[in-house]
Amino acid sequence: MSDLPAVGRAVFDGSFGGRVRALLRIRPVADAADNAGRQAWGEQRYDVVTLALAAIDSVIARQGFDDEVSYDEVVAGLEALAGTSRPERPVDEHGQVARYVVDALLNRREREAPYRYQISIFSRDDDGAIRHREVPAEFRLLTEHEDHARGVNVLRASADAINALVGGLEFDVEDEQAAIELMLARQLERGAFGQAEKAAERSRLLSVRYADELRTLLADTTRDIRTVLDQWAEHVPQQLERNRAHLEERLSAEAKLLEHVRGALDAPDAEPTVTSAAARIAGLLEECRHRHTELHGRLVSARTTFLDEQTRQSFRPVASLRNPNITDDVFFPMLTLPVDQAVEPAETFATAIAGTQVPRIVRFADLVDDLLAPRRGSVIEDPPDPDDELGDPDPPAIPGEVLAAAAEVVDSVELPARLSELLSAARGTDLPAEVDRTAVERLIALSVLWNFAPESVEDFSTAVDTAAQVLGPTAVVDADGARITLSGWSGDDLIVAEDEDALGAWVGAPGDQEVSWH
Amino acid sequence: MALNQRDLADVGVLIGYGLRPKLRPGADSEYRALLGRYRTDSEFRNAVDSVLDGLDAQVLSESDLGLVLGVRRESVFAFRISDLPNVTRVTDRLLIGLVSVAVAAFAFPAPADFDDDRVHWVSVEEIERFLREVCERLKQSPELVTREEESFEEAWRTYDRLSPGYKADKGKGKARRSPASSPYWVASVLTWMVDQGLARPAPARGPEAYQLLERFRIQARELAGNATYAMLASMRRGEGAA
């Protein structure tokens, strides 16, 4: 034994691996700080570690509540912090740093896979020989979930992240909490507010972890009651009962403590540092109390959840409790079936995953409209061709000066008027040299026509805008069967009026005017 | 207490809500109230379940997500694959089914993955690559080489034969994916899943990336996987007996 190399005993201890594991929880954050040097903003030396811990903290702050924090919210928070630390840098960069940090905590680079590390476990045989084996350690820090009620994605911190931040808590949550409160009360009495605040902070983080434990149990119960049946039969009922009594106690205890802290606030001779710390603690305790109240509600409903799930799941066919292995039991067998046999199961899967579709009952009137409607484009949007995007924007179909000239021509004619009058005016008016006279004429005719019968236009809003620009925003157009006689044009000689009323007046007494004109 | 006419009307209203997959109870107080009643009032719950049973449908889950309904293929509410654009031939229907299963197998490779409610992401490119790799593996599998001589053709070859890249349709200005290319079918299935409230586009994650929604997980776990597995198993048994 004496010729063995001098190695400390602890490394062979059973709990040594646990310590290594605990330390590893920090590693993704350290790696992220390390890799930050390779980013475009790497030279700026942002404090990635602090930002990462701030991110976890802002996730924990709302975890378990109705409004859990979303990815964008965390990024916005970090962006502000990054901005404050490097105010001279562009805002874009602050956003990049914030996203980099949150993405690192989610392990987005590895498609949200858990962080995996190998741990060396050393042991010593009876004869003193040292043995080595490697075991993997896997964990996540932040995970992204869909908030069912709101439909947005929210972030949650894993137990690993919470523990890494709170610091290796291996003992009973409840007792720890009681201890913290006792400590806080003492510290308040002695005026040791700095430490008291830290203690309050820890107490809040513990509440989060506590809520998380309960959530997991209830989620497991809802999912498949059989996996947690043993727990429910043995220690869960007592635990729930104990928790409930304990929470009730806690609620009153924290209310008392809050009063105590407020007492420090109200004291006339309190020091400014003490009052500000007390105010912060008061805020913290208020949040703890809010959280406990919510937890309490969850606890009260826990037993009902169990009973409901028991009823629900006992009547469910057993097969649906076991998830089939989609890859091995469904996907591969289906791929290797002959085509004609594979269609049925393939279609079954697609139909079952599709959910519901409400059958549409065809109404004749709609059908006619649909059949007459211009053909719609493909449902699947292709990504735009990069070459298209880089090219110059298309020149406007109608040059601005033509548009202006047309509007001027319409202005020069007293409305209501016939289309033929407008067109003649366009032929007679003085136009700048660069303006194409036929284009002006055509634009007037098209505007009038479009106003009369808006249809088959790809870019609807542009057509509306153009017509309004030429004829005026309220213009109306109607036909009375008169034919246009102007050379180069044929069809109805439409009537253009400034608005509905003017058109009505025209229809009342039009005849002589028109006859005299021709 | 027996349900009165009004209650039965509420049964209909709740089922109506359940038939709109994109509606969440968080956004509608009446939906919320009726869902709460479904959870707590057993008589009301039985009425809803019975009506749905008559319609060849069932409640797969009731949560903050709303009432998630699953349907049997014969139900009036069942989706008809042939309603999708360009799905006319038998092989088109096969492709829609194969790609749907591939999306599920890609996102939830092991049964335990269904228990994890983390967000799952997919993209057209990933699914297409995943399917190609599977085809490659099958191509090299030795037992299949011998079977190749037989008269039938395995389902995976239908996918394998598709062109992997873009292919412009003739006579159209812009390059479009042709139904003869595999990305067309993957994109088609994912777009369809968006319409059905199973996924939503995630442009921030890259081109043609999608987030699979909770509804996908529920439909795949509670219904699609088992129904298909049961069918495949019974086909195998039928084959064995014959």
Short mmCIF file of all heavy atoms in Angstrom, two decimals, chain A residues 381-418:
data_model
loop_
_atom_site.label_atom_id
_atom_site.label_comp_id
_atom_site.label_asym_id
_atom_site.label_seq_id
_atom_site.Cartn_x
_atom_site.Cartn_y
_atom_site.Cartn_z
N GLU A 381 -45.71 28.96 -50.44
CA GLU A 381 -44.93 30.10 -50.86
C GLU A 381 -43.48 29.67 -51.02
O GLU A 381 -42.88 29.12 -50.10
CB GLU A 381 -45.03 31.21 -49.82
CG GLU A 381 -46.24 32.10 -50.03
CD GLU A 381 -46.27 32.74 -51.40
OE1 GLU A 381 -45.25 33.31 -51.80
OE2 GLU A 381 -47.32 32.66 -52.07
N ASP A 382 -42.94 29.92 -52.18
CA ASP A 382 -41.52 29.62 -52.36
C ASP A 382 -40.70 30.74 -51.76
O ASP A 382 -41.14 31.88 -51.74
CB ASP A 382 -41.20 29.50 -53.85
CG ASP A 382 -41.93 28.34 -54.47
OD1 ASP A 382 -41.95 27.28 -53.84
OD2 ASP A 382 -42.50 28.52 -55.56
N PRO A 383 -39.52 30.42 -51.26
CA PRO A 383 -38.66 31.51 -50.80
C PRO A 383 -38.28 32.36 -52.01
O PRO A 383 -38.09 31.82 -53.11
CB PRO A 383 -37.43 30.79 -50.24
CG PRO A 383 -37.45 29.44 -50.84
CD PRO A 383 -38.87 29.12 -51.15
N PRO A 384 -38.21 33.67 -51.81
CA PRO A 384 -37.91 34.52 -52.97
C PRO A 384 -36.52 34.21 -53.51
O PRO A 384 -35.60 33.89 -52.75
CB PRO A 384 -37.99 35.93 -52.40
CG PRO A 384 -37.89 35.79 -50.92
CD PRO A 384 -38.40 34.43 -50.58
N ASP A 385 -36.41 34.30 -54.80
CA ASP A 385 -35.13 34.07 -55.45
C ASP A 385 -34.17 35.16 -55.00
O ASP A 385 -34.48 36.34 -55.10
CB ASP A 385 -35.36 34.18 -56.98
CG ASP A 385 -34.16 33.65 -57.73
OD1 ASP A 385 -33.10 33.54 -57.10
OD2 ASP A 385 -34.30 33.36 -58.93
N PRO A 386 -33.01 34.77 -54.46
CA PRO A 386 -32.08 35.80 -53.98
C PRO A 386 -31.70 36.82 -55.05
O PRO A 386 -31.51 38.00 -54.76
CB PRO A 386 -30.87 35.00 -53.51
CG PRO A 386 -31.06 33.61 -53.98
CD PRO A 386 -32.52 33.42 -54.21
N ASP A 387 -31.64 36.36 -56.31
CA ASP A 387 -31.28 37.28 -57.39
C ASP A 387 -32.33 38.37 -57.55
O ASP A 387 -32.03 39.52 -57.83
CB ASP A 387 -31.13 36.52 -58.71
CG ASP A 387 -29.93 35.60 -58.64
OD1 ASP A 387 -29.05 35.84 -57.80
OD2 ASP A 387 -29.90 34.64 -59.41
N ASP A 388 -33.61 37.95 -57.36
CA ASP A 388 -34.70 38.91 -57.48
C ASP A 388 -34.57 40.02 -56.46
O ASP A 388 -34.79 41.18 -56.73
CB ASP A 388 -36.06 38.21 -57.26
CG ASP A 388 -36.46 37.42 -58.48
OD1 ASP A 388 -35.71 37.48 -59.47
OD2 ASP A 388 -37.51 36.77 -58.44
N GLU A 389 -34.17 39.59 -55.25
CA GLU A 389 -34.15 40.56 -54.16
C GLU A 389 -33.05 41.59 -54.36
O GLU A 389 -33.20 42.73 -54.01
CB GLU A 389 -33.92 39.85 -52.83
CG GLU A 389 -35.16 39.18 -52.33
CD GLU A 389 -34.89 38.48 -51.02
OE1 GLU A 389 -33.76 37.99 -50.83
OE2 GLU A 389 -35.81 38.45 -50.20
N LEU A 390 -31.94 41.12 -54.93
CA LEU A 390 -30.80 42.00 -55.04
C LEU A 390 -30.96 43.02 -56.16
O LEU A 390 -30.36 44.08 -56.14
CB LEU A 390 -29.53 41.18 -55.26
CG LEU A 390 -29.13 40.35 -54.05
CD1 LEU A 390 -27.95 39.45 -54.39
CD2 LEU A 390 -28.78 41.26 -52.88
N GLY A 391 -31.79 42.68 -57.16
CA GLY A 391 -31.92 43.54 -58.33
C GLY A 391 -32.57 44.87 -57.98
O GLY A 391 -33.07 45.09 -56.88
N ASP A 392 -32.56 45.81 -58.94
CA ASP A 392 -33.20 47.09 -58.72
C ASP A 392 -34.69 46.89 -58.57
O ASP A 392 -35.27 45.99 -59.15
CB ASP A 392 -32.94 48.02 -59.93
CG ASP A 392 -31.48 48.40 -59.99
OD1 ASP A 392 -30.88 48.60 -58.92
OD2 ASP A 392 -30.95 48.47 -61.10
N PRO A 393 -35.34 47.74 -57.77
CA PRO A 393 -36.79 47.61 -57.69
C PRO A 393 -37.42 47.94 -59.04
O PRO A 393 -36.87 48.74 -59.81
CB PRO A 393 -37.16 48.65 -56.61
CG PRO A 393 -36.01 49.60 -56.56
CD PRO A 393 -34.80 48.81 -56.94
N ASP A 394 -38.55 47.31 -59.31
CA ASP A 394 -39.24 47.57 -60.57
C ASP A 394 -39.58 49.05 -60.68
O ASP A 394 -40.00 49.66 -59.71
CB ASP A 394 -40.54 46.76 -60.64
CG ASP A 394 -40.24 45.29 -60.79
OD1 ASP A 394 -39.11 44.95 -61.20
OD2 ASP A 394 -41.15 44.49 -60.51
N PRO A 395 -39.43 49.65 -61.88
CA PRO A 395 -39.85 51.04 -62.04
C PRO A 395 -41.37 51.09 -61.91
O PRO A 395 -42.05 50.13 -62.29
CB PRO A 395 -39.40 51.38 -63.46
CG PRO A 395 -39.26 50.08 -64.15
CD PRO A 395 -38.92 49.07 -63.11
N PRO A 396 -41.92 52.15 -61.35
CA PRO A 396 -43.38 52.22 -61.26
C PRO A 396 -44.01 52.14 -62.65
O PRO A 396 -43.47 52.68 -63.61
CB PRO A 396 -43.64 53.58 -60.59
CG PRO A 396 -42.36 54.34 -60.71
CD PRO A 396 -41.26 53.33 -60.84
N ALA A 397 -45.15 51.42 -62.70
CA ALA A 397 -45.78 51.17 -63.99
C ALA A 397 -46.18 52.49 -64.65
O ALA A 397 -46.11 52.62 -65.86
CB ALA A 397 -46.98 50.27 -63.82
N ILE A 398 -46.60 53.45 -63.85
CA ILE A 398 -47.03 54.73 -64.41
C ILE A 398 -46.09 55.80 -63.88
O ILE A 398 -45.95 55.97 -62.68
CB ILE A 398 -48.46 55.06 -63.97
CG1 ILE A 398 -49.41 53.94 -64.39
CG2 ILE A 398 -48.90 56.40 -64.55
CD1 ILE A 398 -50.73 53.99 -63.70
N PRO A 399 -45.40 56.51 -64.78
CA PRO A 399 -44.50 57.57 -64.32
C PRO A 399 -45.27 58.64 -63.57
O PRO A 399 -46.44 58.93 -63.89
CB PRO A 399 -43.89 58.13 -65.61
CG PRO A 399 -44.23 57.16 -66.67
CD PRO A 399 -45.42 56.38 -66.23
N GLY A 400 -44.60 59.24 -62.57
CA GLY A 400 -45.26 60.24 -61.73
C GLY A 400 -45.79 61.43 -62.52
O GLY A 400 -46.88 61.93 -62.24
N GLU A 401 -45.03 61.85 -63.57
CA GLU A 401 -45.48 63.05 -64.28
C GLU A 401 -46.76 62.81 -65.09
O GLU A 401 -47.61 63.68 -65.21
CB GLU A 401 -44.36 63.62 -65.18
CG GLU A 401 -43.70 62.64 -66.13
CD GLU A 401 -42.50 61.93 -65.52
OE1 GLU A 401 -42.42 61.88 -64.27
OE2 GLU A 401 -41.65 61.42 -66.28
N VAL A 402 -46.90 61.54 -65.58
CA VAL A 402 -48.13 61.20 -66.29
C VAL A 402 -49.32 61.27 -65.34
O VAL A 402 -50.38 61.81 -65.65
CB VAL A 402 -48.02 59.79 -66.93
CG1 VAL A 402 -49.37 59.35 -67.50
CG2 VAL A 402 -46.95 59.77 -68.00
N LEU A 403 -49.08 60.73 -64.13
CA LEU A 403 -50.12 60.72 -63.10
C LEU A 403 -50.54 62.15 -62.78
O LEU A 403 -51.73 62.48 -62.72
CB LEU A 403 -49.55 60.04 -61.85
CG LEU A 403 -50.52 59.35 -60.91
CD1 LEU A 403 -51.31 58.29 -61.66
CD2 LEU A 403 -49.76 58.73 -59.75
N ALA A 404 -49.54 63.04 -62.62
CA ALA A 404 -49.82 64.43 -62.27
C ALA A 404 -50.58 65.12 -63.40
O ALA A 404 -51.56 65.83 -63.17
CB ALA A 404 -48.51 65.17 -61.99
N ALA A 405 -50.13 64.85 -64.65
CA ALA A 405 -50.78 65.48 -65.81
C ALA A 405 -52.23 65.04 -65.91
O ALA A 405 -53.13 65.85 -66.17
CB ALA A 405 -50.02 65.11 -67.08
N ALA A 406 -52.48 63.75 -65.68
CA ALA A 406 -53.84 63.22 -65.78
C ALA A 406 -54.73 63.88 -64.74
O ALA A 406 -55.85 64.29 -65.03
CB ALA A 406 -53.83 61.71 -65.59
N ALA A 407 -54.21 63.99 -63.50
CA ALA A 407 -55.00 64.61 -62.43
C ALA A 407 -55.31 66.05 -62.78
O ALA A 407 -56.41 66.54 -62.53
CB ALA A 407 -54.23 64.53 -61.11
N GLU A 408 -54.32 66.75 -63.42
CA GLU A 408 -54.51 68.14 -63.80
C GLU A 408 -55.61 68.26 -64.85
O GLU A 408 -56.47 69.15 -64.79
CB GLU A 408 -53.19 68.66 -64.38
CG GLU A 408 -52.91 70.11 -64.02
CD GLU A 408 -51.46 70.43 -64.32
OE1 GLU A 408 -50.57 69.99 -63.54
OE2 GLU A 408 -51.22 71.08 -65.35
N VAL A 409 -55.60 67.35 -65.83
CA VAL A 409 -56.61 67.36 -66.88
C VAL A 409 -57.98 67.20 -66.26
O VAL A 409 -58.92 67.95 -66.58
CB VAL A 409 -56.34 66.23 -67.90
CG1 VAL A 409 -57.55 66.06 -68.81
CG2 VAL A 409 -55.09 66.52 -68.69
N VAL A 410 -58.11 66.24 -65.34
CA VAL A 410 -59.42 66.01 -64.73
C VAL A 410 -59.85 67.24 -63.95
O VAL A 410 -61.01 67.64 -63.96
CB VAL A 410 -59.38 64.75 -63.83
CG1 VAL A 410 -60.71 64.59 -63.09
CG2 VAL A 410 -59.10 63.52 -64.67
N ASP A 411 -58.88 67.89 -63.28
CA ASP A 411 -59.19 69.10 -62.52
C ASP A 411 -59.71 70.22 -63.43
O ASP A 411 -60.58 71.00 -63.05
CB ASP A 411 -57.92 69.61 -61.80
CG ASP A 411 -57.73 68.87 -60.48
OD1 ASP A 411 -58.70 68.20 -60.06
OD2 ASP A 411 -56.64 68.98 -59.92
N SER A 412 -59.16 70.28 -64.66
CA SER A 412 -59.51 71.37 -65.56
C SER A 412 -60.92 71.24 -66.12
O SER A 412 -61.49 72.19 -66.63
CB SER A 412 -58.50 71.44 -66.71
OG SER A 412 -58.70 70.34 -67.56
N VAL A 413 -61.48 70.04 -66.06
CA VAL A 413 -62.83 69.83 -66.60
C VAL A 413 -63.81 69.89 -65.43
O VAL A 413 -63.55 69.33 -64.37
CB VAL A 413 -62.94 68.47 -67.30
CG1 VAL A 413 -64.36 68.23 -67.80
CG2 VAL A 413 -61.95 68.39 -68.43
N GLU A 414 -64.94 70.56 -65.64
CA GLU A 414 -65.93 70.65 -64.58
C GLU A 414 -66.70 69.34 -64.50
O GLU A 414 -67.27 68.90 -65.49
CB GLU A 414 -66.87 71.81 -64.84
CG GLU A 414 -67.64 72.20 -63.60
CD GLU A 414 -68.70 73.24 -63.92
OE1 GLU A 414 -68.55 73.95 -64.95
OE2 GLU A 414 -69.68 73.33 -63.17
N LEU A 415 -66.69 68.71 -63.32
CA LEU A 415 -67.42 67.46 -63.14
C LEU A 415 -68.82 67.81 -62.67
O LEU A 415 -69.02 68.84 -62.03
CB LEU A 415 -66.71 66.58 -62.11
CG LEU A 415 -65.30 66.09 -62.52
CD1 LEU A 415 -64.71 65.24 -61.41
CD2 LEU A 415 -65.34 65.32 -63.84
N PRO A 416 -69.84 67.00 -62.95
CA PRO A 416 -69.78 65.75 -63.71
C PRO A 416 -69.53 65.99 -65.20
O PRO A 416 -69.92 67.01 -65.74
CB PRO A 416 -71.17 65.15 -63.50
CG PRO A 416 -71.87 66.03 -62.52
CD PRO A 416 -71.16 67.30 -62.46
N ALA A 417 -68.89 65.02 -65.77
CA ALA A 417 -68.59 65.13 -67.19
C ALA A 417 -68.55 63.74 -67.80
O ALA A 417 -68.44 62.75 -67.09
CB ALA A 417 -67.25 65.82 -67.38
N ARG A 418 -68.62 63.68 -69.11
CA ARG A 418 -68.50 62.40 -69.81
C ARG A 418 -67.03 62.05 -69.94
O ARG A 418 -66.17 62.94 -70.00
CB ARG A 418 -69.11 62.52 -71.21
CG ARG A 418 -70.61 62.67 -71.17
CD ARG A 418 -71.28 61.48 -71.78
NE ARG A 418 -72.71 61.57 -71.60
CZ ARG A 418 -73.45 60.51 -71.28
NH1 ARG A 418 -72.90 59.33 -71.13
NH2 ARG A 418 -74.75 60.63 -71.14
#
